[in-house]
Amino acid sequence: MIRVVVADDQALIRTGFITILDSQDDLEVVGEAGDGKSAVEVAQRLRPDVIVMDVRMPVMDGIEATRRLAGAGVPDPLKVLVVTTFNLDEYVYEALRAGAAGFLLKDASPQQLIAGVRTVARGESLLAPEVTRRLIGRYAARLRPADPAVTAESALTPRELEVLRLIAAGQSNAEIAATLVIGAETVKTYVSRILTKLNLRDRVQAVVYAYRTGLVSPND
C-alpha cells in the first residue's frame, strides 16, 4: 500500500485528489494539509511514501515545504510530487532544486496523477518531457552557474555526457534510445552510472545539474 499526503490550499482540488487516489486499491491517503507549514508537520509525523504538494499555499509555500522535507541535508528525505500550472512555471525549477522528485500539471488526468504517485513511490523521478523542455531550460538560465566538486567532463565518458545532455533536453529513456540507436536497457544503465558518478539522487537532479553547471543551456 502506497501511503499519500495531499497538500493544497484549495479544498475542492484537495478533495478531488484525495478521491482519485483513494479509489485505487494500492493507494491510501493518510493525511491532508491546506498550507505548507501544516504539510511539513503532517508529513514528518506520518512519514508517507509520497506527498502531493501544491506550489502556492499560505503560511509557507510548497517550495519551502519541499525543501524542508526533501532538500539537501535532510536526513531520510521524503518523496515529493509537486503539482503546478503553466502560469506558475517559474516556481517549478526552484521546486526541483528544493528536492522534488518530479511534477505534474494541475490539468493532468486522474490516470496521470495515479501513475505519477506510483512512479515517485518506486523511487523514480517524474519529468514529463514536453514540460521539461519548456520549463527547466527557460528558468535555469536565470541562475548563476554552480561550481561542482566533480565535473561531468572529468567524471563521465563521452557517451555518458551525451546521454546527460539528452536527459537535460527533456528526452525520455525511449527517446534517448531512438536518438542514439541503442537499447532501452542500455540507456537505463547509462543513467544509473551518471547518477552514481555525479552523486545525484535521481533524474530530476541530473537535469538541474546539467543546467546549473553550464553543460547545457536553453539555447542548445
Side-chain angles (χ1 to χ4, degrees):
M1 182 68 69
I2 298 171
R3 301 169 68 250
V4 184
V5 163
V6 175
D8 196 298
D9 65 322
Q10 297 183 55
L12 186 61
I13 291 178
R14 191 169 69 247
T15 301
F17 284 174
I18 292 171
T19 301
I20 291 168
L21 297 174
D22 270 340
S23 70
Q24 303 300 299
D25 293 338
D26 62 332
L27 304 179
E28 178 187 11
V29 177
V30 296
E32 61 180 285
D35 62 75
K37 184 175 183 292
S38 297
V40 172
E41 294 170 350
V42 170
Q44 288 177 336
R45 174 168 51 87
L46 298 177
R47 304 294 300 177
D49 299 298
V50 179
I51 302 105
V52 176
M53 183 83 73
D54 188 19
V55 174
R56 298 193 74 177
M57 292 186 290
V59 186
M60 178 189 298
D61 64 31
I63 296 172
E64 180 59 28
T66 297
R67 186 175 292 111
R68 296 192 184 192
L69 294 170
V74 174
D76 195 15
L78 294 169
K79 300 181 180 72
V80 178
L81 175 61
V82 170
V83 291
T84 186
T85 56
F86 269 134
N87 64 344
L88 299 178
D89 56 8
E90 67 181 284
Y91 297 102
V92 174
Y93 184 78
E94 291 299 327
L96 298 180
R97 288 185 65 209
F103 64 89
L104 283 175
L105 302 179
K106 279 195 174 179
D107 61 359
S109 68
Q111 291 74 24
Q112 288 174 316
L113 175 63
I114 292 166
V117 168
R118 288 171 176 159
T119 296
V120 171
R122 289 196 302 267
E124 302 174 18
S125 58
L126 181 68
L127 277 178
E130 67 273 14
V131 290
T132 302
R133 287 185 283 264
R134 184 168 175 177
L135 302 179
I136 303 297
R138 186 188 310 169
Y139 291 98
R142 297 183 179 182
L143 302 174
R144 291 192 299 269
D147 185 17
V150 179
T151 64
E153 289 84 351
S154 65
L156 305 181
T157 66
R159 179 61 101 180
E160 289 165 350
L161 279 170
E162 195 171 10
V163 171
L164 179 55
R165 288 190 176 97
L166 293 175
I167 292 172
Q171 290 200 12
S172 65
N173 282 1
E175 290 172 326
I176 293 172
T179 299
L180 300 181
V181 195
I182 56 178
E185 289 301 318
T186 302
V187 175
K188 289 182 180 179
T189 299
Y190 279 129
V191 173
S192 178
R193 288 177 183 172
I194 290 167
L195 298 182
T196 299
K197 289 183 177 181
L198 299 180
N199 193 29
L200 301 173
R201 184 181 62 197
D202 53 31
R203 192 186 189 95
V204 172
Q205 287 194 351
V207 174
V208 174
Y209 174 96
Y211 279 102
R212 286 279 286 166
T213 60
L215 184 66
V216 294
S217 72
N219 296 323
D220 288 343

